[in-house]
Amino acid sequence: MSERSHRVRVYPTRANLSDAVADQFASVVRESIDQRESCHIVLAGGSTPRGLYERVAKRSDIDWSRVQFFWGDERCVDPSSTESNYRMAREALLDQVPVGNDKIHRIPAEKNPVDAAREYEATVRAALASAPEARFDLVLLGMGDDGHTASLFPNTAALHETTRWVVANSVPQLAATRITMTTTALNTARQAWFLVCGDDKAGKLTEVLEGPRSTDQLPSQLIQPTDGELTWHVDTSAASLLTLALQEPA
Ligand code: 6PG
């Protein structure tokens, strides 16, 4: 992993992680609103974040009127599909809290992928135009057992995109195309948080955090906020092979 700083916070269980990160989520949102009158959040897909979203949805200490939501990636499916990252976040969080639809920026992944990526990039840039800086306050990410994050999969073209914020990424290992934010976008984060749970992630997490930098094979290593903080929130199962002393028992 790059020598740039990052924190690894280890939680006993997935549920403990979701509880604690929900508290930290609320703190980040409040601080962002206090300092910048807004909070721009990139949501992660997959299954791990659902517990966090469900807990955050129950909080009464967040001014949702100031929050805008984006997605780091999306499968090329209809928003009603059970595969949709948008649908998961809608069910677990967005349908439970008073956020205006004008502040929920869905990736139009039912469209032609190239068109959808170009359209979403314009949407993101327009939404951030009113922010003090064109950057995200909080980026949530998962990590696959192959080291991918968002839809930045090993040995795919999107890993090397340095200008665009959103691209259509052909993923041969899935025989699919995904829409994904690039590291150019994701690394604008003030706070970038990985949420990683389960012993099936332990080996790859150790490679990403303790192994040599090998970003084509370990795309999660590409996440290094340019001017922000990176935190890995992991449960003890995922952390079981880590030797790094910098683990912080949470
Ligand atoms: C997706 C996600 C992807 C996910 C990882 C981990 O669209 O699937 O963006 O990057 O975060 O694959 O997924 P789990 O949380 O389900 O393990």
Side-chain angles (χ1 to χ4, degrees):
M1 189 81 175
S2 156
E3 64 286 348
R4 284 200 192 153
S5 70
H6 61 272
R7 293 190 312 175
V8 179
R9 305 201 68 181
V10 183
Y11 305 81
T13 67
R14 182 187 294 256
N16 295 145
L17 181 151
S18 297
D19 289 339
V21 176
D23 289 341
Q24 296 168 63
F25 179 103
S27 299
V28 165
V29 173
R30 279 198 302 275
E31 180 186 339
S32 181
I33 292 170
D34 288 349
Q35 292 182 5
R36 294 176 292 277
E37 298 183 352
S38 63
C39 189
H40 297 77
I41 301 172
V42 177
L43 296 175
S47 58
T48 304
R50 182 183 283 271
L52 168 64
Y53 298 165
E54 290 168 346
R55 285 160 174 81
V56 165
K58 297 185 175 80
R59 298 189 72 102
S60 57
D61 57 349
I62 294 175
D63 177 2
W64 295 109
S65 70
R66 298 284 184 172
V67 182
Q68 299 208 39
F69 288 100
F70 307 82
W71 277 259
D73 73 316
E74 188 56 278
R75 295 83 180 273
C76 290
V77 295
D78 191 87
S80 62
S81 165
T82 54
E83 288 298 303
S84 166
N85 290 333
Y86 165 81
R87 173 173 168 174
M88 186 274 277
R90 264 273 180 214
E91 290 173 348
L93 172 56
L94 301 175
D95 285 346
Q96 321 304 329
V97 295
V99 176
N101 284 329
D102 61 322
K103 292 191 171 60
I104 297 173
H105 306 291
R106 178 180 72 86
I107 300 174
E110 70 281 7
K111 297 182 176 179
N112 167 281
V114 172
D115 296 342
R118 200 169 296 285
E119 180 180 321
Y120 197 60
E121 175 152 338
T123 297
V124 170
R125 290 185 182 278
L128 292 178
S130 56
E133 295 173 79
R135 59 186 301 199
F136 299 113
D137 297 293
L138 177 60
V139 169
L140 300 176
L141 295 161
M143 186 195 78
D145 60 9
D146 61 352
H148 82 263
T149 190
S151 282
L152 301 169
F153 283 82
N155 305 307
T156 58
L159 303 187
H160 304 287
E161 176 57 52
T162 57
T163 305
R164 297 283 305 279
W165 276 37
V166 185
V167 294
N169 193 30
S170 172
V171 186
Q173 48 271 54
L174 298 180
T177 298
R178 293 277 190 93
I179 313 290
T180 189
M181 283 189 184
T182 62
T183 56
T184 306
L186 297 170
N187 283 334
T188 68
R190 286 187 172 84
Q191 294 276 350
W193 295 351
F194 277 95
L195 309 179
V196 185
C197 296
D199 52 20
D200 61 318
K201 306 284 177 74
K204 196 56 72 173
L205 182 65
T206 305
E207 283 184 59
V208 167
L209 291 179
E210 299 190 339
R213 187 166 174 79
S214 176
T215 53
D216 275 354
Q217 285 71 44
L218 302 170
S220 292
Q221 290 182 335
L222 289 167
I223 303 302
Q224 288 285 346
T226 307
D227 176 23
E229 295 179 3
L230 172 61
T231 304
W232 289 79
H233 298 283
V234 303
D235 70 359
T236 48
S237 298
S240 60
L241 300 177
L242 289 181
T243 56
L244 274 183
L246 63 78
Q247 292 182 31
E248 294 174 30

